[in-house]
Amino acid sequence: APVRQVSGLAEQLEEQLFHLYGLHNDLIQEKLQELAEVMERVEQAEAELRQVCRTVEAAYRDLCL
């Protein structure tokens, strides 16, 4: 009967949506992990730059004084 067909289609749709949601969720988790790794590398680069700046400052002071 039509009601059973609609009910069956609704169930199929629900299963597909759950599946898509799961895939989407995994992708989001993956991207967040990548972002965290990139941010970590940026922080390391900033720390190295600060060190270089301090070294240049010290050298400049030594030359000028």
Side-chain angles (χ1 to χ4, degrees):
V3 172
R4 262 207 309 277
Q5 282 178 329
V6 169
S7 170
L9 283 172
E11 273 179 39
Q12 283 176 12
L13 186 61
E14 197 178 3
E15 280 172 25
Q16 286 174 358
L17 284 172
F18 267 117
H19 181 64
L20 278 174
Y21 178 77
L23 288 175
H24 196 61
N25 215 22
D26 290 347
L27 273 174
I28 289 173
Q29 289 299 321
E30 214 174 284
K31 293 293 172 196
L32 283 173
Q33 182 60 44
E34 285 173 21
L35 182 61
E37 287 165 15
V38 168
M39 293 302 289
E40 205 173 301
R41 286 201 296 274
V42 167
E43 282 172 25
Q44 285 173 355
E46 284 178 340
E48 285 170 21
L49 274 173
R50 277 194 298 272
Q51 186 60 53
V52 168
C53 284
R54 281 196 291 270
T55 304
V56 170
E57 271 177 338
Y60 190 73
R61 266 198 314 273
D62 292 346
L63 282 172
C64 294
L65 297 176

